[in-house]
C-alpha cells in the first residue's frame, strides 16, 4: 500500500492520537517488564506536541507528532523501494520535498526522525485547518505505510492488536480486556487479565498510565 491509500484510511488526528496512546498503554499492560516493547507514547514531548512511535527492532518504524490542530506521520519500511537506501541515498520525489514548511522542524528533530534523516519511506500530514490527510507522492509504489500503520487503520483494532501482541510477545492476550483499554477504559481488572502474573494489578495500571502521560505534581 502507498501513502495516498493509507491517508484515506487514517482516522482524524484526535482519534489517531487517542488510539496511539491506548496502543502503547495496552502493550505495556501485556508486557510490562521487557525492553522489547514496540510502541511508545510521549505526552507533551515538545511544547504543544505529543509523540507516538513504533519500532520493530528490525529497521522498520513510524513516528507521529500531534498538536491540537495538526499532525505529521513518518514511516520507514527499510525494504521498500521508496527507501532512500534503495535510491542512492536520495529521497524519492514528493516524499520529503513536498512537506509543508511548518513541519520542517519536526522532521529534523532527532526523536522524530529516529536518529537517521534518511529513514523516510513515507510522510503523511494534516495541516491546521485541514479536513483530510495529505502526502506529496503519486502513490505508484508501495512505501510500507499500509502495513506499518495497519493497526491504526483497522476497523477492529482490538482484534488486530490482541493478535499482534499475542504473537510478538508470545503470550495470551485477552481480547475483551484489550478492547476495554483501546476504548479508553483501563482498570485494575483489565490489567490483571492482560498480565495474569501481575502481583499488584493496580500498581501495574499506575505504571502503565505513567508510561504514556507526563508526571504531574
Amino acid at each position: 500500500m502507498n501513502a495516498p491509500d493509507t491517508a484515506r484510511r487514517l482516522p482524524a488526528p484526535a482519534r489517531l492520537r487517542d488510539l496511539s496512546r491506548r496502543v502503547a498503554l495496552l502493550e505495556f499492560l501485556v508486557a510490562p517488564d521487557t525492553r522489547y516493547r514496540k510502541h511508545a507514547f510521549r505526552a507533551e514531548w515538545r511544547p504543544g506536541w505529543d509523540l507516538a512511535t513504533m519500532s520493530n527492532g528490525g529497521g522498520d518504524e513510524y513516528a507521529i507528532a500531534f498538536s491540537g490542530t495538526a499532525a505529521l506521520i513518518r514511516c520507514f519500511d527499510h525494504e521498500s523501494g521508496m527507501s532512500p537506501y534503495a535510491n542512492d541515498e536520495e529521497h524519492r520525489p514528493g516524499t520529503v520535498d513536498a512537506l509543508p514548511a511548518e513541519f520542517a522542524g519536526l522532521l529534523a528533530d532527532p526523536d522524530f526522525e529516529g536518529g537517521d534523516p534518511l529513514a523516510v519511506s513515507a510522510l503523511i500530514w494534516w495541516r491546521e485547518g485541514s479536513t483530510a490527510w495529505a502526502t506529496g507522492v503519486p502513490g505508484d509504489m508501495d512505501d510500507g505505510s499500509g502495513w506499518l500503520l495497519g493497526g491504526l487503520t483497522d476497523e477492529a483494532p482490538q482484534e488486530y492488536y490482541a493478535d499482534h501482541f499475542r504473537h510478538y510477545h508470545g503470550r495470551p492476550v485477552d481480547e475483551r480486556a484489550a478492547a476495554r483499554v483501546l476504548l479508553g477504559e483501563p482498570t485494575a481488572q483489565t490489567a490483571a487479565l492482560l498480565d495474569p502474573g501481575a502481583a499488584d494489578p493496580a500498581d501495574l495500571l499506575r505504571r502503565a498510565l505513567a508510561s504514556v502521560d507526563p508526571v504531574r505534581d
Side-chain angles (χ1 to χ4, degrees):
M1 190 179 295
N2 53 59
D5 288 337
T6 303
R8 286 190 286 271
R9 290 168 168 79
L10 284 167
R15 165 63 179 155
L16 188 64
R17 177 200 176 279
D18 288 346
L19 181 57
S20 298
R21 177 187 176 277
R22 293 167 186 174
V23 168
L25 178 64
L26 173 61
E27 187 174 18
F28 190 102
L29 292 170
V30 170
D33 300 314
T34 176
R35 61 188 179 90
Y36 296 109
R37 289 193 302 273
K38 299 168 63 174
H39 299 81
F41 186 89
R42 295 170 60 182
E44 300 182 15
W45 160 67
R46 297 285 184 265
W49 291 88
D50 299 335
L51 179 67
T53 58
M54 187 288 295
S55 176
N56 67 6
D60 306 304
E61 58 193 33
Y62 69 69
I64 313 175
F66 302 93
S67 74
T69 56
L72 176 64
I73 302 173
R74 174 185 68 86
C75 295
F76 184 57
D77 175 351
H78 78 284
E79 293 186 346
S80 167
M82 289 293 288
S83 166
Y85 293 105
N87 190 43
D88 297 324
E89 298 193 354
E90 296 286 342
H91 295 291
R92 290 192 178 272
T95 307
V96 172
D97 55 343
L99 183 69
E102 62 263 33
F103 294 117
L106 290 174
L107 186 59
D109 189 295
D111 285 351
F112 185 84
E113 73 172 12
D116 180 3
L118 293 179
V120 180
S121 60
L123 289 176
I124 304 171
W125 56 85
W126 184 292
R127 304 180 76 173
E128 182 175 357
S130 294
T131 58
W133 293 94
T135 185
V137 295
D140 55 350
M141 185 179 296
D142 188 350
D143 51 39
S145 60
W147 73 266
L148 284 167
L149 301 172
L152 300 176
T153 62
D154 198 282
E155 293 182 356
Q158 72 279 5
E159 296 176 11
Y160 179 99
Y161 285 108
D163 184 65
H164 182 74
F165 293 147
R166 182 181 300 119
H167 287 91
Y168 181 74
H169 291 290
R171 62 190 66 182
V173 178
D174 186 292
E175 189 173 307
R176 290 186 179 181
R180 302 316 300 176
V181 175
L182 295 184
L183 286 170
E185 301 170 356
T187 64
Q189 182 180 11
T190 56
L193 289 169
L194 291 166
D195 184 9
D200 185 345
D203 181 65
L204 170 59
L205 180 59
R206 284 192 293 269
R207 291 166 52 205
L209 291 169
S211 76
V212 297
D213 285 325
V215 176
R216 301 186 188 277
D217 296 329

